[in-house]
Amino acid sequence: MRAAPTATRYDLTREELNELLAGEPQYRLDQVWQGLYAQLAAPEEMTNVPRALRDRLTGKLPPALELVTTSVSDGQDTVKFLWSVAGSAQVETVLMLYPQRATVCVSSQAGCAMGCGFCATGQAGFQRHLSAGEIVEQVVRAARWARDRGRRVSNVVFMGMGEPLANEGAVWAAVTRLHGDLGLSARHLTISTVGVVPGLRRLAERDLPVTLAVSLHAANDALRDELVPINRRYPIEELLVAAQQFVDVNHRRLSFEWAMIDGVNDRPSDAVELAALCRRLRPAAHVNLIPLNPTPGWPTTGSSPATVAAFRDRLIALGVNATVRRNRGTDIDAACGQLAARSRAVGVVPRTHPAG
Ligand code: SAH
Ligand code: SF4
Protein backbone atom coordinates (compact mmCIF):
# COMPACT_ATOMS: atom_id res chain seq x y z
CA MET A 1 0.00 0.00 0.00
CA ARG A 2 1.96 2.88 -1.38
CA ALA A 3 1.73 6.42 -0.17
CA ALA A 4 2.00 9.24 -2.68
CA PRO A 5 5.36 8.91 -4.44
CA THR A 6 6.62 12.48 -3.89
CA ALA A 7 6.03 15.02 -1.19
CA THR A 8 3.73 17.70 -2.53
CA ARG A 9 3.26 21.25 -1.26
CA TYR A 10 0.79 20.39 1.50
CA ASP A 11 2.68 17.28 2.59
CA LEU A 12 5.55 19.28 4.03
CA THR A 13 5.63 19.99 7.75
CA ARG A 14 6.73 23.44 8.90
CA GLU A 15 10.07 21.94 9.93
CA GLU A 16 10.57 20.43 6.49
CA LEU A 17 9.74 23.74 4.86
CA ASN A 18 12.25 25.40 7.17
CA GLU A 19 14.92 23.03 5.89
CA LEU A 20 13.98 23.78 2.32
CA LEU A 21 14.38 27.48 3.06
CA ALA A 22 17.89 27.09 4.51
CA GLY A 23 19.96 30.18 3.66
CA GLU A 24 16.90 32.42 3.43
CA PRO A 25 16.06 35.03 6.06
CA GLN A 26 14.09 33.51 8.93
CA TYR A 27 10.89 35.47 8.15
CA ARG A 28 10.53 33.63 4.84
CA LEU A 29 9.27 30.57 6.68
CA ASP A 30 6.27 32.50 8.01
CA GLN A 31 5.73 34.17 4.66
CA VAL A 32 5.60 30.94 2.72
CA TRP A 33 3.62 29.04 5.35
CA GLN A 34 1.09 31.88 5.58
CA GLY A 35 1.00 31.98 1.81
CA LEU A 36 0.12 28.28 1.63
CA TYR A 37 -2.41 28.19 4.47
CA ALA A 38 -3.77 31.70 5.14
CA GLN A 39 -3.79 32.92 1.55
CA LEU A 40 -4.35 29.49 -0.06
CA ALA A 41 -1.68 30.53 -2.55
CA ALA A 42 0.55 28.52 -4.83
CA PRO A 43 4.25 29.42 -4.54
CA GLU A 44 4.18 31.22 -7.89
CA GLU A 45 1.47 33.50 -6.54
CA MET A 46 3.44 34.60 -3.48
CA THR A 47 4.40 38.02 -4.77
CA ASN A 48 5.99 39.03 -1.47
CA VAL A 49 8.65 36.36 -2.07
CA PRO A 50 11.55 37.03 -4.50
CA ARG A 51 11.11 35.61 -7.97
CA ALA A 52 14.01 33.17 -7.83
CA LEU A 53 12.74 31.63 -4.61
CA ARG A 54 9.21 31.40 -5.98
CA ASP A 55 10.56 29.49 -8.97
CA ARG A 56 12.59 27.19 -6.75
CA LEU A 57 9.59 26.46 -4.51
CA THR A 58 7.38 25.80 -7.50
CA GLY A 59 9.86 23.17 -8.66
CA LYS A 60 10.38 21.63 -5.23
CA LEU A 61 6.77 21.73 -4.10
CA PRO A 62 4.55 20.51 -6.89
CA PRO A 63 0.77 20.49 -6.45
CA ALA A 64 -0.66 17.06 -5.60
CA LEU A 65 -3.85 17.43 -7.56
CA GLU A 66 -4.27 18.00 -11.25
CA LEU A 67 -7.76 19.17 -12.08
CA VAL A 68 -9.50 16.92 -14.59
CA THR A 69 -13.01 18.39 -14.48
CA THR A 70 -15.23 20.54 -12.33
CA SER A 71 -18.98 19.82 -12.37
CA VAL A 72 -21.42 22.35 -10.93
CA SER A 73 -24.94 21.31 -9.94
CA ASP A 74 -28.04 22.94 -11.40
CA GLY A 75 -28.54 25.09 -8.34
CA GLN A 76 -24.84 26.15 -8.38
CA ASP A 77 -24.60 25.14 -4.74
CA THR A 78 -22.71 21.87 -5.17
CA VAL A 79 -19.42 21.49 -7.01
CA LYS A 80 -17.60 18.26 -7.73
CA PHE A 81 -13.90 18.33 -8.52
CA LEU A 82 -12.33 15.37 -10.24
CA TRP A 83 -8.57 15.26 -9.72
CA SER A 84 -5.86 13.07 -11.01
CA VAL A 85 -3.17 12.20 -8.47
CA ALA A 86 0.24 10.58 -8.87
CA GLY A 87 0.16 6.97 -9.97
CA SER A 88 -2.71 7.46 -12.45
CA ALA A 89 -5.44 7.33 -9.80
CA GLN A 90 -8.35 9.74 -9.74
CA VAL A 91 -10.18 11.09 -6.73
CA GLU A 92 -13.10 13.41 -6.15
CA THR A 93 -13.91 16.24 -3.78
CA VAL A 94 -17.31 17.84 -3.29
CA LEU A 95 -17.97 21.40 -2.11
CA MET A 96 -21.43 22.11 -0.75
CA LEU A 97 -22.53 25.69 -0.18
CA TYR A 98 -25.30 26.22 2.37
CA PRO A 99 -26.66 29.54 3.57
CA GLN A 100 -24.81 29.34 6.89
CA ARG A 101 -21.85 27.11 6.12
CA ALA A 102 -19.70 25.71 3.36
CA THR A 103 -18.67 22.07 3.64
CA VAL A 104 -15.96 20.22 1.76
CA CYS A 105 -16.35 16.46 1.43
CA VAL A 106 -12.88 14.98 0.99
CA SER A 107 -11.58 11.63 -0.18
CA SER A 108 -9.13 9.81 2.06
CA GLN A 109 -8.21 7.03 -0.38
CA ALA A 110 -8.36 6.43 -4.11
CA GLY A 111 -11.03 3.74 -4.06
CA CYS A 112 -11.89 1.72 -0.97
CA ALA A 113 -11.18 -1.83 0.15
CA MET A 114 -14.25 -2.20 2.37
CA GLY A 115 -16.48 -3.54 -0.37
CA CYS A 116 -19.88 -2.19 0.68
CA GLY A 117 -22.00 -3.30 -2.26
CA PHE A 118 -24.30 -0.24 -2.41
CA CYS A 119 -21.39 2.23 -2.64
CA ALA A 120 -19.90 3.17 -6.00
CA THR A 121 -16.44 3.65 -4.44
CA GLY A 122 -16.64 0.20 -2.87
CA GLN A 123 -17.70 -1.32 -6.17
CA ALA A 124 -14.59 0.13 -7.84
CA GLY A 125 -12.18 -1.41 -5.32
CA PHE A 126 -9.04 -0.05 -3.68
CA GLN A 127 -6.21 1.73 -5.47
CA ARG A 128 -4.10 3.51 -2.92
CA HIS A 129 -4.03 5.61 0.23
CA LEU A 130 -3.91 9.37 -0.12
CA SER A 131 -1.20 11.30 1.69
CA ALA A 132 -1.94 14.05 4.20
CA GLY A 133 -0.92 16.62 1.60
CA GLU A 134 -3.29 15.17 -0.96
CA ILE A 135 -6.14 15.41 1.53
CA VAL A 136 -5.31 18.94 2.72
CA GLU A 137 -4.90 20.18 -0.84
CA GLN A 138 -8.45 19.04 -1.66
CA VAL A 139 -9.71 21.43 1.02
CA VAL A 140 -7.42 24.23 -0.09
CA ARG A 141 -8.43 23.96 -3.73
CA ALA A 142 -12.15 23.82 -2.86
CA ALA A 143 -11.66 26.75 -0.47
CA ARG A 144 -10.12 28.78 -3.29
CA TRP A 145 -13.18 28.08 -5.44
CA ALA A 146 -15.43 29.17 -2.56
CA ARG A 147 -13.34 32.26 -1.86
CA ASP A 148 -13.63 33.42 -5.46
CA ARG A 149 -17.38 33.50 -4.84
CA GLY A 150 -17.17 35.27 -1.51
CA ARG A 151 -17.53 32.15 0.63
CA ARG A 152 -15.38 30.62 3.32
CA VAL A 153 -15.10 26.90 4.03
CA SER A 154 -16.32 26.16 7.55
CA ASN A 155 -16.64 22.35 7.67
CA VAL A 156 -14.80 19.33 6.35
CA VAL A 157 -16.34 15.86 6.25
CA PHE A 158 -14.35 12.71 5.46
CA MET A 159 -17.23 11.26 3.46
CA GLY A 160 -15.74 11.15 -0.01
CA MET A 161 -13.92 8.15 -1.46
CA GLY A 162 -12.24 5.80 0.96
CA GLU A 163 -12.40 4.67 4.58
CA PRO A 164 -10.62 7.26 6.74
CA LEU A 165 -9.80 4.81 9.55
CA ALA A 166 -8.09 2.50 7.07
CA ASN A 167 -5.64 5.37 6.37
CA GLU A 168 -5.38 6.74 9.87
CA GLY A 169 -1.91 8.27 9.83
CA ALA A 170 -2.47 10.47 6.80
CA VAL A 171 -6.02 11.32 7.84
CA TRP A 172 -4.93 12.40 11.29
CA ALA A 173 -2.01 14.45 9.93
CA ALA A 174 -4.51 16.16 7.62
CA VAL A 175 -6.95 16.79 10.49
CA THR A 176 -4.17 18.38 12.52
CA ARG A 177 -3.21 20.62 9.61
CA LEU A 178 -6.80 21.60 8.84
CA HIS A 179 -7.28 22.53 12.47
CA GLY A 180 -3.97 24.18 13.26
CA ASP A 181 -3.09 25.83 9.96
CA LEU A 182 -6.33 26.29 8.05
CA GLY A 183 -8.04 27.27 11.29
CA LEU A 184 -11.06 24.96 11.17
CA SER A 185 -12.57 24.06 14.51
CA ALA A 186 -12.23 20.40 15.52
CA ARG A 187 -15.97 19.93 15.91
CA HIS A 188 -16.42 21.09 12.32
CA LEU A 189 -14.20 18.22 11.14
CA THR A 190 -16.22 15.03 10.78
CA ILE A 191 -14.75 11.59 10.33
CA SER A 192 -17.16 9.08 8.92
CA THR A 193 -16.28 5.43 9.41
CA VAL A 194 -17.82 2.15 8.41
CA GLY A 195 -16.64 0.80 11.78
CA VAL A 196 -12.96 -0.08 11.74
CA VAL A 197 -12.89 -0.72 15.48
CA PRO A 198 -9.13 -0.55 16.25
CA GLY A 199 -8.94 2.80 14.44
CA LEU A 200 -11.99 4.00 16.33
CA ARG A 201 -10.37 3.12 19.64
CA ARG A 202 -7.28 5.11 18.71
CA LEU A 203 -9.41 8.00 17.54
CA ALA A 204 -10.80 8.26 21.06
CA GLU A 205 -7.27 8.85 22.32
CA ARG A 206 -6.33 11.59 19.85
CA ASP A 207 -5.93 15.11 21.07
CA LEU A 208 -8.59 16.86 18.97
CA PRO A 209 -12.31 16.35 19.64
CA VAL A 210 -13.46 15.82 16.08
CA THR A 211 -17.02 14.84 15.24
CA LEU A 212 -17.67 11.18 14.55
CA ALA A 213 -20.22 9.59 12.22
CA VAL A 214 -20.58 5.81 12.10
CA SER A 215 -22.10 4.32 8.95
CA LEU A 216 -24.36 1.73 10.55
CA HIS A 217 -27.06 0.92 7.94
CA ALA A 218 -28.23 -2.19 9.82
CA ALA A 219 -28.94 -2.79 13.50
CA ASN A 220 -28.41 -6.56 13.59
CA ASP A 221 -25.34 -8.53 12.57
CA ALA A 222 -27.09 -10.75 10.03
CA LEU A 223 -28.16 -7.81 7.88
CA ARG A 224 -25.06 -5.71 8.57
CA ASP A 225 -22.78 -8.61 7.53
CA GLU A 226 -24.50 -8.44 4.16
CA LEU A 227 -24.50 -4.69 3.65
CA VAL A 228 -21.16 -3.84 5.23
CA PRO A 229 -18.71 -6.75 5.00
CA ILE A 230 -16.29 -5.34 7.63
CA ASN A 231 -19.03 -6.14 10.16
CA ARG A 232 -17.98 -9.81 9.96
CA ARG A 233 -14.66 -8.76 11.47
CA TYR A 234 -15.97 -6.10 13.88
CA PRO A 235 -19.57 -6.90 14.78
CA ILE A 236 -22.06 -4.40 16.18
CA GLU A 237 -21.36 -5.12 19.85
CA GLU A 238 -17.65 -4.31 19.46
CA LEU A 239 -18.48 -1.26 17.41
CA LEU A 240 -20.83 0.05 20.09
CA VAL A 241 -18.23 -0.38 22.83
CA ALA A 242 -15.63 1.57 20.81
CA ALA A 243 -18.20 4.22 19.91
CA GLN A 244 -19.15 4.69 23.56
CA GLN A 245 -15.48 5.00 24.47
CA PHE A 246 -15.14 7.80 21.89
CA VAL A 247 -18.21 9.58 23.23
CA ASP A 248 -17.01 9.27 26.84
CA VAL A 249 -13.67 10.88 26.04
CA ASN A 250 -14.87 13.55 23.64
CA HIS A 251 -18.23 14.34 25.26
CA ARG A 252 -19.73 14.62 21.83
CA ARG A 253 -22.88 13.04 20.57
CA LEU A 254 -22.15 10.76 17.63
CA SER A 255 -24.36 10.14 14.68
CA PHE A 256 -25.25 6.97 12.87
CA GLU A 257 -25.54 7.18 9.11
CA TRP A 258 -28.31 5.06 7.65
CA ALA A 259 -28.66 4.74 3.88
CA MET A 260 -32.33 3.89 3.37
CA ILE A 261 -32.67 0.90 1.06
CA ASP A 262 -36.11 -0.05 -0.18
CA GLY A 263 -37.45 -3.12 1.59
CA VAL A 264 -34.05 -3.92 3.12
CA ASN A 265 -33.51 -1.70 6.16
CA ASP A 266 -36.53 0.62 6.11
CA ARG A 267 -39.12 -1.56 7.85
CA PRO A 268 -40.77 -0.66 11.18
CA SER A 269 -38.78 -3.47 12.84
CA ASP A 270 -35.55 -1.87 11.59
CA ALA A 271 -36.53 1.42 13.23
CA VAL A 272 -37.24 -0.36 16.50
CA GLU A 273 -33.87 -2.16 16.48
CA LEU A 274 -32.04 1.00 15.48
CA ALA A 275 -33.69 3.06 18.20
CA ALA A 276 -32.66 0.49 20.79
CA LEU A 277 -29.02 0.71 19.66
CA CYS A 278 -29.08 4.50 19.68
CA ARG A 279 -30.40 4.58 23.22
CA ARG A 280 -27.71 2.24 24.46
CA LEU A 281 -25.19 5.00 23.84
CA ARG A 282 -24.94 7.77 26.43
CA PRO A 283 -25.86 10.32 25.22
CA ALA A 284 -28.10 8.62 22.69
CA ALA A 285 -26.85 8.69 19.10
CA HIS A 286 -28.38 10.91 16.47
CA VAL A 287 -29.50 9.28 13.20
CA ASN A 288 -28.89 10.74 9.74
CA LEU A 289 -31.12 9.11 7.17
CA ILE A 290 -29.78 9.22 3.62
CA PRO A 291 -32.08 7.90 0.89
CA LEU A 292 -29.88 5.44 -1.01
CA ASN A 293 -28.36 7.04 -4.08
CA PRO A 294 -28.46 4.85 -7.18
CA THR A 295 -25.16 3.34 -8.27
CA PRO A 296 -24.43 1.25 -11.35
CA GLY A 297 -23.50 -1.96 -9.54
CA TRP A 298 -26.32 -2.32 -7.00
CA PRO A 299 -29.79 -3.52 -7.88
CA THR A 300 -31.86 -2.14 -5.00
CA THR A 301 -33.32 1.34 -5.02
CA GLY A 302 -33.64 3.93 -2.29
CA SER A 303 -36.71 4.08 -0.05
CA SER A 304 -39.53 6.36 -1.18
CA PRO A 305 -39.77 9.82 0.41
CA ALA A 306 -42.90 8.70 2.29
CA THR A 307 -41.11 5.65 3.73
CA VAL A 308 -38.12 7.79 4.74
CA ALA A 309 -40.40 10.28 6.50
CA ALA A 310 -42.33 7.50 8.26
CA PHE A 311 -39.07 5.87 9.38
CA ARG A 312 -37.84 9.20 10.76
CA ASP A 313 -41.12 9.79 12.60
CA ARG A 314 -40.98 6.32 14.06
CA LEU A 315 -37.47 6.92 15.39
CA ILE A 316 -38.54 10.23 16.89
CA ALA A 317 -41.55 8.58 18.53
CA LEU A 318 -39.11 6.06 20.02
CA GLY A 319 -37.16 8.92 21.57
CA VAL A 320 -34.32 9.11 19.04
CA ASN A 321 -33.19 12.23 17.23
CA ALA A 322 -33.32 11.67 13.48
CA THR A 323 -32.93 13.90 10.45
CA VAL A 324 -33.23 13.24 6.75
CA ARG A 325 -30.17 14.38 4.86
CA ARG A 326 -30.98 16.21 1.70
CA ASN A 327 -29.39 14.67 -1.34
CA ARG A 328 -26.91 17.11 -2.71
CA GLY A 329 -25.34 16.87 -6.13
CA THR A 330 -27.13 13.80 -7.48
CA ASP A 331 -27.35 15.50 -10.89
CA ILE A 332 -23.55 15.64 -11.06
CA ASP A 333 -22.96 12.25 -9.41
CA ALA A 334 -21.59 14.04 -6.37
CA ALA A 335 -23.91 12.53 -3.76
CA CYS A 336 -22.87 10.16 -0.97
CA GLY A 337 -21.64 6.88 -2.32
CA GLN A 338 -21.64 7.98 -5.92
CA LEU A 339 -17.98 8.87 -6.10
CA ALA A 340 -16.13 6.40 -8.30
CA ALA A 341 -14.06 8.41 -10.74
CA ARG A 342 -11.68 5.69 -11.67
CA SER A 343 -14.24 3.04 -12.52
CA ARG A 344 -15.94 5.38 -14.91
CA ALA A 345 -12.72 6.60 -16.53
CA VAL A 346 -11.08 3.24 -17.05
CA GLY A 347 -11.98 1.55 -20.26
CA VAL A 348 -13.84 4.61 -21.44
CA VAL A 349 -10.87 6.85 -22.00
CA PRO A 350 -8.05 4.74 -23.41
CA ARG A 351 -4.55 6.02 -22.73
CA THR A 352 -2.91 7.08 -25.93
CA HIS A 353 0.76 7.74 -26.37
CA PRO A 354 2.04 10.09 -29.02
CA ALA A 355 4.10 8.24 -31.58
CA GLY A 356 7.81 8.89 -31.64
N1 SAH B 1 -15.97 5.03 4.22
C1 SAH B 1 -16.62 5.95 5.07
C2 SAH B 1 -16.75 7.34 4.51
C3 SAH B 1 -17.08 7.47 3.05
S1 SAH B 1 -18.71 6.94 2.59
C4 SAH B 1 -17.96 5.42 5.50
O1 SAH B 1 -18.43 4.45 4.92
O2 SAH B 1 -18.51 5.95 6.44
C5 SAH B 1 -19.71 8.29 3.16
C6 SAH B 1 -21.16 7.92 3.47
O3 SAH B 1 -21.87 7.61 2.27
C7 SAH B 1 -21.28 6.69 4.35
O4 SAH B 1 -22.22 6.92 5.35
C8 SAH B 1 -21.75 5.65 3.36
O5 SAH B 1 -22.39 4.58 3.98
C9 SAH B 1 -22.66 6.46 2.49
N2 SAH B 1 -23.00 5.83 1.23
C10 SAH B 1 -22.25 5.00 0.48
N3 SAH B 1 -22.91 4.63 -0.64
C11 SAH B 1 -24.11 5.25 -0.60
C12 SAH B 1 -25.23 5.30 -1.48
N4 SAH B 1 -25.23 4.64 -2.63
N5 SAH B 1 -26.29 6.05 -1.11
C13 SAH B 1 -26.29 6.74 0.04
N6 SAH B 1 -25.26 6.76 0.90
C14 SAH B 1 -24.19 6.02 0.59
FE1 SF4 C 1 -15.76 2.28 1.57
FE2 SF4 C 1 -17.50 3.84 2.93
FE3 SF4 C 1 -18.03 3.02 0.42
FE4 SF4 C 1 -18.09 1.25 2.41
S1 SF4 C 1 -19.45 3.02 2.16
S2 SF4 C 1 -17.11 0.93 0.40
S3 SF4 C 1 -16.44 2.00 3.69
S4 SF4 C 1 -16.38 4.36 1.04
Side-chain angles (χ1 to χ4, degrees):
M1 303 208 186
R2 253 164 354 108
T6 40
T8 60
R9 58 186 59 152
Y10 288 97
D11 278 305
L12 246 65
T13 62
R14 213 179 138 89
E15 293 66 39
E16 287 164 340
L17 181 62
N18 196 28
E19 280 170 33
L20 196 66
L21 292 171
E24 292 289 331
Q26 193 54 41
Y27 60 82
R28 290 269 181 256
L29 175 60
D30 273 338
Q31 263 180 345
V32 176
W33 196 259
Q34 291 283 321
L36 287 171
Y37 290 94
Q39 286 133 37
L40 314 174
E44 57 270 26
E45 295 168 329
M46 297 177 191
T47 46
N48 56 346
V49 169
R51 182 75 194 234
L53 178 58
R54 265 188 267 163
D55 290 346
R56 187 161 76 86
L57 289 175
T58 301
K60 292 268 184 207
L61 298 177
L65 312 173
E66 191 189 322
L67 184 65
V68 179
T69 52
T70 309
S71 324
V72 182
S73 68
D74 294 340
Q76 309 278 305
D77 52 7
T78 304
V79 189
K80 182 176 75 171
F81 304 90
L82 170 63
W83 316 104
S84 105
V85 294
S88 85
Q90 293 191 335
V91 295
E92 296 180 340
T93 306
V94 183
L95 169 68
M96 289 160 286
L97 302 173
Y98 300 93
Q100 306 296 336
R101 64 182 200 282
T103 300
V104 184
C105 176
V106 293
S107 294
S108 57
Q109 300 176 312
C112 183
M114 297 292 143
C116 309
F118 55 85
C119 167
T121 308
Q123 291 159 14
F126 176 75
Q127 289 164 73
R128 74 163 168 88
H129 293 304
L130 296 186
S131 71
E134 288 171 324
I135 297 169
V136 171
E137 197 176 313
Q138 292 175 59
V139 180
V140 169
R141 302 277 286 268
R144 282 178 64 117
W145 197 96
R147 184 182 62 186
D148 291 346
R149 285 146 188 92
R151 299 295 307 267
R152 207 185 149 84
V153 166
S154 54
N155 296 61
V156 173
V157 295
F158 285 77
M159 293 188 183
M161 299 165 83
E163 166 50 43
L165 296 185
N167 184 18
E168 267 180 276
V171 163
W172 198 256
V175 162
T176 308
R177 204 66 68 72
L178 296 175
H179 172 74
D181 297 297
L182 278 184
L184 293 165
S185 94
R187 69 197 168 85
H188 289 167
L189 304 175
T190 300
I191 293 192
S192 173
T193 179
V194 71
V196 181
V197 166
L200 196 47
R201 286 200 201 106
R202 283 187 289 270
L203 195 63
E205 285 156 19
R206 306 269 189 190
D207 52 2
L208 289 174
V210 294
T211 297
L212 178 66
V214 173
S215 299
L216 196 63
H217 308 311
N220 64 69
D221 284 324
L223 180 57
R224 198 162 191 269
D225 282 353
E226 291 303 313
L227 294 177
V228 176
I230 193 74
N231 193 70
R232 296 173 206 159
R233 189 126 118 235
Y234 306 114
I236 291 173
E237 274 307 315
E238 275 185 49
L239 180 55
L240 274 194
V241 171
Q244 182 67 59
Q245 197 184 342
F246 179 90
V247 172
D248 288 345
V249 173
N250 286 281
H251 307 293
R252 308 289 311 282
R253 182 186 298 272
L254 73 76
S255 54
F256 285 136
E257 308 289 303
W258 193 274
M260 296 218 44
I261 313 175
D262 186 36
V264 172
N265 64 356
D266 63 356
R267 300 157 300 180
S269 62
D270 295 306
V272 171
E273 279 181 320
L274 171 57
L277 281 192
C278 290
R279 287 198 311 257
R280 278 184 51 197
L281 290 177
R282 294 276 174 255
H286 179 104
V287 177
N288 279 320
L289 300 170
I290 323 160
L292 184 83
N293 288 307
T295 58
W298 182 255
T300 333
T301 56
S303 310
S304 70
T307 306
V308 175
F311 195 87
R312 178 202 56 204
D313 293 346
R314 200 175 288 274
L315 288 174
I316 292 171
L318 291 163
V320 169
N321 240 307
T323 43
V324 178
R325 265 225 244 131
R326 274 188 303 149
N327 272 337
R328 273 291 185 112
T330 40
D331 57 335
I332 52 169
D333 280 358
C336 276
Q338 286 188 345
L339 305 185
R342 174 81 176 168
S343 68
R344 250 172 251 134
V346 158
V348 178
V349 187
R351 272 190 185 281
T352 50
H353 298 279

